[in-house]
Amino acid sequence: MRKTSVYLSDEESDRLARLADEEGKSQAEIIRRAIASYAPCDPPKRVFSMAGCARGDGTSAADVPEEEYLRGFGRDALAALQRSQR
């Protein structure tokens, strides 16, 4: 068994002491039983408002070669710079 410290609010600490007293158990036993019976809540279903609104063949942008995205990148800025230097 491993010792663990838990910070509780005054109300939580009072309730734990009251439960332990009422049941004739140690506070540690009450906490162990609470942990054993704990069941995590199911996370809420995520709904994406934009899901299904796009068209395309379903390929990923990650599958497009980087060079294709960079082709012509900065061309407009370069042309503007060249015009301003004339």
Side-chain angles (χ1 to χ4, degrees):
M1 198 169 289
R2 187 180 295 170
K3 181 179 178 176
T4 302
S5 297
V6 178
Y7 292 94
L8 301 174
S9 67
D10 290 339
E11 291 105 12
E12 292 166 336
S13 181
D14 292 344
R15 182 166 187 228
L16 177 59
R18 198 170 47 255
L19 289 168
D21 186 52
E22 289 171 4
E23 295 190 27
K25 308 275 184 190
S26 69
Q27 291 184 10
E29 180 61 26
I30 299 296
I31 292 171
R32 283 193 292 270
R33 287 174 49 202
I35 291 170
S37 67
Y38 176 78
C41 300
D42 290 332
K45 184 177 179 186
R46 296 177 66 186
V47 178
F48 297 96
S49 62
M50 299 297 289
C53 70
R55 294 183 185 156
D57 61 5
T59 56
S60 170
D63 296 331
V64 177
E66 185 177 329
E67 294 78 24
E68 190 170 328
Y69 284 120
L70 294 175
R71 191 176 314 128
F73 183 75
R75 188 176 294 155
D76 294 339
L78 179 59
L81 178 63
Q82 289 171 341
R83 281 193 303 272
S84 70
Q85 292 178 345
R86 289 183 195 159

